[in-house]
Amino acid sequence: MNKIIEINGVTKEFEGFKLDNISFGLEKGYIMGFIGPNGAGKTTTIRLIMNLLKKDSGDIKIFGMDNSKDEVAIKDRIGFVYEESYFYEHLTIKKMKEIIAPFYSRWDDEKFDEYCSVFGLLPNKKIRDLSKGTKMKFSLAVALSHNAELLILDEPTSGLDPVFRDKLMDILREEIQDENKSVLFSTHITSDLEKIADYITFINNGRIVFSDQKDVLLENYKIVKGDSGILTDEIRSELLGIKENRYGFEALCNAEKQAAFTQFEIVVEKPTLEQMMVYMQNK
């Protein structure tokens, strides 16, 4: 299959943290949610993909090209949004756009103006006078205005209200309709990913916990609730991240193991991505 992102055995070590031999891939035409707690390695992974950090070992290919050797050609085809603003604060939106546009061979002024209108961005407004949410909208307008084949979004909904976040989800759906574009979407707001993601990759403590189709993951795991009295050592060993209180217990369980609890009075529910992340983090 045709993969836009291929990460194989990538390691990067810092003092006190190690991104440890991670591997995953993203095919054309899909949205991948990239989740994990703070400090898990999400931003480090994105910086490695963008060649802003140098890996210690492993391979990273984007569009089938080496992300380091072919950096310029690759970045011409990527639209990226980081949580923090990287623009010159003293410039206006219009002037900042004029600086950015020449870096992209397929920059589309009409598309940029259209997104500015949709996002309520005023061309003569200085970057320093924009709210955090409006700066994020400007970042998104730039990322979406040069016909990028890969969008890399690091916390793009940070500071955005629910109405605009919903609008952004619609825009991302439209972007991948031609099946030649893909999105890597890192966020703590997992409810956004439940709406649009095709795949979910979960990283924790520098290691990939899972990377699979979202619907498969949500079917393969269940939330089970019941009386703590049934929790023998054997049953505990089958559960992930057990939470107990005076009313009973709640835990994540592999759907295949669910049969072990049929003899007990329990409640079984479909998990959310947030629950999966919390329980697997606590395993």
Side-chain angles (χ1 to χ4, degrees):
M1 294 190 178
N2 209 346
K3 289 187 177 180
I4 281 187
I5 297 177
E6 297 176 83
I7 298 177
N8 293 302
V10 169
T11 295
K12 177 68 179 178
E13 191 164 3
F14 305 94
E15 184 177 351
F17 177 77
K18 182 179 182 181
L19 197 67
D20 192 4
N21 193 35
I22 67 166
S23 299
F24 67 91
L26 175 59
E27 297 166 16
K28 284 185 178 182
Y30 294 100
I31 296 175
M32 174 177 282
F34 194 34
I35 64 174
N38 287 333
K42 299 188 302 298
T43 297
T44 297
T45 302
I46 288 173
R47 287 176 176 168
L48 286 167
I49 291 171
M50 295 295 294
N51 202 36
L52 299 174
L53 288 174
K54 301 298 181 183
K55 60 187 180 293
D56 295 337
S57 60
D59 296 302
I60 301 175
K61 290 186 176 181
I62 314 294
F63 310 115
M65 298 182 286
D66 183 278
N67 79 314
S68 178
K69 294 177 182 177
D70 301 298
E71 180 177 6
V72 174
I74 288 170
K75 286 185 176 179
D76 186 44
R77 299 162 67 182
I78 294 179
F80 57 92
V81 175
Y82 299 132
E83 185 175 9
E84 298 301 322
S85 174
Y86 52 88
F87 304 117
Y88 297 129
E89 294 282 312
H90 64 286
L91 296 181
T92 63
I93 285 176
K94 181 180 179 181
K95 287 292 184 183
M96 193 69 237
K97 184 269 294 186
E98 289 172 355
I99 291 174
I100 294 169
F103 286 95
Y104 296 103
S105 64
R106 294 180 290 179
W107 180 268
D108 188 332
D109 261 335
E110 287 188 11
K111 200 167 188 179
F112 178 78
D113 290 342
E114 180 184 334
Y115 278 121
C116 282
S117 177
V118 170
F119 296 168
L121 299 173
L122 302 177
N124 294 319
K125 195 88 167 176
K126 289 188 176 181
I127 305 295
R128 67 183 174 212
D129 295 328
L130 304 179
S131 67
K132 181 179 180 181
T134 307
K135 287 178 182 177
M136 188 62 70
K137 290 177 182 180
F138 178 48
S139 295
L140 287 164
V142 171
L144 293 165
S145 295
H146 58 93
N147 296 297
E149 295 164 59
L150 171 62
L151 294 173
I152 296 180
L153 312 177
D154 190 9
E155 298 291 341
T157 52
S158 176
L160 300 178
D161 62 77
V163 174
F164 186 82
R165 279 177 24 223
D166 194 60
K167 182 184 292 184
L168 176 59
M169 299 306 107
D170 289 337
I171 290 170
L172 294 179
R173 286 191 196 95
E174 290 173 8
E175 283 292 312
I176 64 165
Q177 285 305 306
D178 65 3
E179 299 185 353
N180 286 316
K181 298 179 181 178
S182 296
V183 180
L184 180 64
F185 188 162
S186 171
T187 182
H188 286 98
I189 306 175
T190 53
S191 58
D192 288 341
L193 299 178
E194 287 175 353
K195 295 176 184 176
I196 64 163
D198 302 293
Y199 290 84
I200 300 292
T201 295
F202 175 36
I203 188 170
N204 191 34
N205 293 324
R207 296 185 176 185
I208 300 297
V209 179
F210 59 70
S211 185
D212 207 341
Q213 293 179 51
K214 178 192 68 181
D215 292 341
V216 170
L217 288 166
L218 293 177
E219 285 300 321
N220 283 350
Y221 291 91
K222 302 295 179 184
I223 293 291
V224 293
K225 302 176 182 180
D227 190 294
S228 295
I230 74 169
L231 294 176
T232 63
D233 289 343
E234 183 180 356
I235 288 177
R236 286 179 184 275
S237 69
E238 302 290 356
L239 298 174
L240 300 169
I242 304 168
K243 290 184 178 180
E244 295 181 75
N245 56 43
R246 59 179 177 169
Y247 302 109
F249 79 92
E250 180 176 306
L252 186 69
C253 175
N254 189 301
E256 293 180 357
K257 306 290 186 180
Q258 187 184 330
F261 304 100
T262 54
Q263 59 183 306
F264 303 109
E265 188 174 334
I266 60 167
V267 175
V268 179
E269 299 175 351
K270 187 174 182 178
T272 63
L273 289 175
E274 183 174 342
Q275 286 175 315
M276 290 183 65
M277 184 172 73
V278 169
Y279 283 113
M280 288 192 174
Q281 179 186 343
N282 292 334
K283 174 62 175 174

